[in-house]
Amino acid sequence: MVSMKPLLVDARHRHSSSSTEIKSNSAAVEDLVTSLPGQPTVNFRHYAGYVTVNEKNGRALFYWFYEATTLADEKPLVLWLNGGPGCSSVGYGATQEIGPFLVDNNGRDLKFNSFSWNTEANLLFLESPIGVGFSYSNTSGDYDNLGDDFTANDSYAFLHNWFLKFPSYRNRVFYIAGESYAGKYVPELAEIIHDKNTDPSLFIDLRGILLGNPETHDAEDWRGMVDYAWSHAVVSDETYKTIVKSCDFYSDDTLNNSECYAGWDELLTQYDEIDIYSLYTSVCIANSPDSGDRSAVVKARRSSKMMLRVMGGYDPCLDDYAKVYYNEADVQKALHVSDGISLRKWSICNMSIFNNWWDRKKSVLPIYKKLIAGGHRIWVYSGDTDGRVPVLSTRYSLSTLGLPIKRAWRPWYHEKQVGGWVQEYYGLTFATFRGAGHAVPIFKPSESLAFFASFLAGESPPSQRWN
C-alpha cells in the first residue's frame, strides 16, 4: 500500500503568494496536485498536467510546476529541460536532481530534497518532445518528424499556452536551464524567444540560459570524449592513436571507415564496464532486468553520430525507482495524466525517439553568439568526472568562440572547499564542478544550489575560501 501524506495546499497554509495571485492562476486549479502518493508535507503548491501545443494534431506536452518555497510571486521562473533526445525532465531533473521530491529507493515513496532549486526560483519541468514521458500526440505522423526544430517550436508553443494557465507569470523574469542533449534544446528555444520578442504581444522576459555538461558542437564534443577517455586511462595508447589518426569528427559520417569504427568500438567496450556518466562510482547491480544494462544502451547506437544519455548517479539504480513510481495508478491519477484505471506507460527514456531523431544542429555556437549580442546571460558548467560530455568537450567547444577573458581561471568555493574552477569571459561564464558526474546536482546538491543562486543573481561564484 502506498503511504499517503497530507499536502498543505490551502491558501491559509501558504505565505508566499498573495490572494491576487491565487485568483489570477485560477485556470490552473484543475492541475493542482493535492494527493501525490508518498509525498512529504510542504508549504508550497505544485501543479501537473497537460498543455496542448497543436489542437489539430492533438499534441500535448506534460509539465510539472513547483512554486518557490517562499516569495513565489517575487522570484523568477526557470524552465528545466533534460535531453536524450528522448529522456524525461520529470524522471531526471525533477525526480533525481533539482526538484523538491526525490523518489525513494523503494520506488513507492518520495523524500524531500533540502537542496531543491525551488528555494531560489519557481521551477517548471517539461517532458519534451512528444513521446517523452507522458507527452503525446494523437497524430502518428508527428512522431516521424521529431528533431531539434520540431522540439523547439513545440516548446515555444507550450510556454505561451502555459502562460494562459498561469497569467501571473506572463511577465516574470525567465531563464532556461538544462543538461546533456538539452545543450541543444535550451539555446534553440532561447533563439526562438529572442527572435520573436520583437513582437510585443509575444514577449517573454528571457534573461539567460544555464547549461550543464551540454552537447554543444558535435565535432568538438566527440574529440573531447576521446581525449578524456585516454587522459583518464579508460583506453590504451594504441586505441587513442587509432581514433586520432582515422576519425574525422567534422565529417557527416565519422564512423564510415573500418579503422575509426574499430577504435570507437574499443572505446565503448571499455566504457561498457563502468558508468560512462560517472567514472568513479559503481554501476547498478540489481535483480531488475533493466538494471545496470548500460552496455546494451551504448552498443545499440555504435554506428550512429549520437549516443543515448542515460544519466548515472551515486545510486545508478535511480532510473529503476522512477520507472516504478510513475507507472503507479494512483501516482498517474494525482498528476492528472490518467484516470487511475487506463494507465499511460511511462519510461525515463524513449529509445524509439533517439533512434529516429532526424534533425539536429551540429553546433549551437552561432546561437551563443546571437544571445551574447542580445545581452543574455550564458553560464555553462561541467561535472569533471563525466565521460559522455566531458569537461574537455565543453572547453574545446567554447574555445572556438574566441571570447575575450574578463576574469582569469581560478577556483570557486563552497563552504570553504573548492567547488571547482571558473573562468569568466565577456558574454559567458564557464565553471567546473570538482568530482561531479554528468548530472551534477546528483553528485553535488549543495554546491549546485549555491551555483544556481549565483547565476540568478548575476554574481560570480565565491572566489575566496574565507568569507
Side-chain angles (χ1 to χ4, degrees), residues 62 80-93 96-97 125-135 146 151 179-182 185 277 294 297 307-311 319 346-355 357 438:
F62 177 76
W80 174 272
L81 302 172
N82 280 91
C87 294
S88 166
S89 301
V90 167
Y92 283 121
Q96 299 187 23
E97 300 181 65
F125 295 90
L126 175 63
E127 290 193 316
S128 178
I130 52 168
V132 172
F134 294 122
S135 296
L146 297 182
T151 302
E179 67 190 10
S180 195
Y181 196 80
Y185 290 166
Y277 309 97
R294 303 295 189 202
V297 170
M307 286 188 304
L308 183 62
R309 269 60 60 191
V310 182
M311 297 154 223
D319 294 3
W346 184 94
S347 62
I348 200 160
C349 289
N350 185 330
M351 282 295 291
S352 177
I353 291 177
F354 175 78
N355 290 333
W357 198 259
H438 189 66

